[in-house]
């Protein structure tokens, strides 16, 4: 979740999306529930209704897609391997290697329009002749990672599709990305997809059984130089789902505007007790090795016990993307000692 700090990490900056006439395509309001997709390559029409109830209609299946990197990674997991020609958001590290949020997406195959918050090269985007823009929607009507100062120009170049990824259980956006991938031509019965789903289902069942026998308190959290963030399991899609499986999360008492987390000064970072820290692993957040200078961090019981496990606070919503974090959380709970 985008945290409020000097780094470009604030979900307060989630941007309100607007519909627009794209080049050769039309985005219109639609009252259908859920989404649908149709059409094939080349001939015939193609349509998909996104989670704003906006119906995207094209002359054929999109062949030039630009997507937020986590959306691109999710679609890739579901079998969309060639149509994504551009991406934006945390894609590569300074050394050129893929950012953790890129998942298994081959970052060298797509043009990056901007790697950090606020970056989106509109001219480069236009040069890709996009058929469709895809991103997440953490707050109603807000297209994630689309800069406010250039969103009007961006949304005039191609229709946009938004998948709801906030305030719903994680299975919902996973199913929606699966549906979008199928509409774009992916095979939902491909071995890659069915194997990933089987792994995910096995992992979730193991987690469900584990939390019944291990009474462990978990705190989903994120760290920056100035603030410590306690995430809200009632807002974040993955935490909602893990709670449904029975995971006992710390619930922040005074969430910040937007509800995703409570920001605490480092002097107050010990406000809540937890047996395990589910720590945000994004590149822009601080990891344990960089937090040793924070006295309150070092005093946290879970830190002293070494009971910390990585968490992707902006998940890629696919079975392949979610399964490893379900497994790591399960192992952390299995191995943890009761501290609080």
């Amino acid at each position: 979740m985008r945290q409020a700090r000097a780094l470009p990490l604030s979900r307060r900056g989630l941007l309100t999306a607007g519909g627009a006439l794209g080049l050769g395509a039309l985005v219109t309001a639609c009252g259908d529930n859920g989404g649908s997709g149709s059409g094939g390559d080349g001939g015939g029409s193609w349509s998909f209704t996104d989670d704003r109830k906006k119906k995207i209609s094209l002359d054929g299946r999109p062949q030039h897609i630009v997507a937020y990197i986590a959306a691109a990674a999710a679609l890739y997991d579901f079998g969309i391997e060639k149509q994504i020609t551009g991406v934006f958001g945390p894609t590569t590290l300074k050394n050129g290697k893929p950012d953790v949020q890129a998942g298994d997406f081959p970052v060298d195959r797509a043009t990056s329009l901007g790697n950090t918050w606020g970056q989106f090269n509109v001219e480069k985007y236009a040069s890709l002749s996009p058929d469709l823009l895809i991103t997440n929607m953490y707050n109603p009507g807000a297209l994630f990672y689309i800069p406010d100062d250039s969103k009007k120009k961006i949304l005039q170049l191609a229709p946009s599709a938004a998948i709801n990824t906030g305030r719903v259980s994680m299975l919902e956006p996973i199913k929606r990305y699966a549906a979008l991938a199928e509409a774009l031509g992916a095979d939902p019965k491909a071995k890659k997809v069915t194997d990933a789903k089987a792994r995910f289902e096995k992992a979730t069942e193991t987690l469900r059984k584990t939390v019944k026998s291990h009474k462990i308190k978990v705190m989903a959290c994120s760290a920056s130089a100035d603030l410590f963030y306690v995430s809200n399991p009632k807002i974040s899609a993955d935490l909602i789902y893990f709670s449904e499986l029975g995971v006992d999360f710390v619930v922040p008492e005074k969430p910040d505007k937007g509800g995703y987390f409570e920001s605490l000064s480092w002097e107050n970072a010990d406000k809540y007790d937890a047996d395990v820290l589910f720590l945000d692993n994004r590149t822009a957040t601080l990891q344990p090795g960089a937090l040793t200078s924070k006295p309150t961090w070092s005093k946290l019981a879970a830190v002293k016990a070494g009971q910390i496990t990585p968490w992707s606070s902006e998940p890629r919503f696919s079975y392949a993307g979610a399964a490893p974090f379900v497994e790591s959380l399960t192992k952390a709970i299995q191995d943890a000692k009761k501290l609080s």
Side-chain angles (χ1 to χ4, degrees):
M1 58 199 62
R2 294 285 149 189
Q3 318 284 18
R5 45 184 174 254
L7 294 171
L9 291 174
S10 178
R11 276 212 179 111
R12 293 172 180 170
L14 284 168
L15 309 167
T16 301
L21 283 174
L23 300 179
L26 180 66
V27 180
T28 57
C30 177
D32 296 342
N33 291 322
S36 61
S38 62
D41 300 312
S45 63
W46 182 90
S47 67
F48 184 83
T49 303
D50 78 352
D51 289 347
R52 297 167 296 173
K53 309 305 179 188
K54 295 283 186 177
K55 185 177 182 180
I56 300 99
S57 299
L58 295 168
D59 293 337
R61 182 176 291 153
Q63 298 301 309
H64 302 280
I65 296 170
V66 173
Y68 173 58
I69 185 59
L75 290 170
Y76 184 82
D77 289 340
F78 283 116
I80 300 301
E81 300 184 355
K82 297 180 180 179
Q83 292 143 270
I84 300 173
T85 56
V87 293
F88 54 97
T91 302
T92 56
L93 305 176
K94 291 181 179 180
N95 61 10
K97 293 184 178 180
D99 187 279
V100 64
Q101 288 182 247
D104 296 325
F105 182 78
V107 297
D108 57 339
R109 293 189 194 175
T111 299
S112 173
L113 305 180
N115 207 61
T116 61
W117 184 260
Q119 290 183 350
F120 193 110
N121 190 314
V122 181
E123 290 74 20
K124 192 178 289 186
Y125 176 56
S127 73
L128 295 175
S129 301
D131 299 318
L132 183 64
L133 177 74
I134 300 172
T135 191
N136 291 337
M137 187 169 64
Y138 284 100
N139 283 329
L143 293 184
F144 195 50
Y145 245 88
I146 303 297
D148 193 40
D149 59 357
S150 56
K151 69 178 181 181
K152 184 176 180 179
K153 292 180 180 179
I154 293 168
L155 296 176
Q156 287 176 339
L157 292 169
S160 60
I163 300 298
N164 187 23
T165 54
R167 298 175 175 81
V168 294
S169 183
M170 182 171 65
L171 281 183
E172 291 305 311
I174 288 178
K175 290 176 181 177
R176 295 293 286 133
Y177 268 111
L180 177 54
E182 184 175 2
L184 292 170
D187 179 6
K189 296 181 181 179
K191 189 175 187 301
K192 170 185 175 181
V193 177
T194 57
D195 283 355
K197 185 177 182 181
R199 177 183 174 185
F200 173 80
E201 291 176 342
K202 180 181 179 180
T204 56
E205 189 56 34
T206 301
L207 177 57
R208 190 194 304 274
K209 292 178 180 177
T210 295
V211 295
K212 287 182 178 179
S213 58
H214 295 69
K215 304 302 180 182
I216 297 296
K217 177 74 77 172
V218 179
M219 181 160 62
C221 52
S222 182
S224 74
D226 300 320
L227 295 169
F228 183 67
Y229 303 88
V230 179
S231 293
N232 189 350
K234 297 182 179 180
I235 299 291
S236 296
D238 55 342
L239 303 185
I240 291 173
Y241 182 60
F242 297 150
S243 296
E244 291 170 349
L245 295 174
V247 177
D248 183 15
F249 282 107
V250 169
V251 179
E253 297 171 356
K254 298 179 180 180
D256 296 4
K257 183 179 180 181
Y260 276 94
F261 52 82
E262 178 180 355
S263 57
L264 302 171
S265 66
W266 276 107
E267 289 78 10
N268 297 311
D270 58 353
K271 179 177 179 179
Y272 301 106
D273 294 323
D275 304 309
V276 169
L277 299 186
F278 204 23
L279 184 66
D280 190 347
N281 74 339
R282 291 171 302 156
T283 304
T285 64
L286 298 184
Q287 301 308 301
L291 292 169
T292 54
S293 63
K294 305 290 185 183
T296 45
W297 168 262
S298 301
K299 291 178 182 178
L300 292 175
V303 174
K304 288 181 179 179
Q307 295 180 175
I308 306 170
T309 193
W311 167 47
S312 178
S313 70
E314 286 177 29
R316 74 183 200 262
F317 292 98
S318 67
Y319 298 115
F325 287 99
V326 178
E327 292 166 347
S328 65
L329 177 58
T330 300
K331 187 176 188 306
I333 293 173
Q334 289 173 337
D335 294 346
K337 295 179 180 178
K338 186 67 177 174
L339 306 172
S340 56

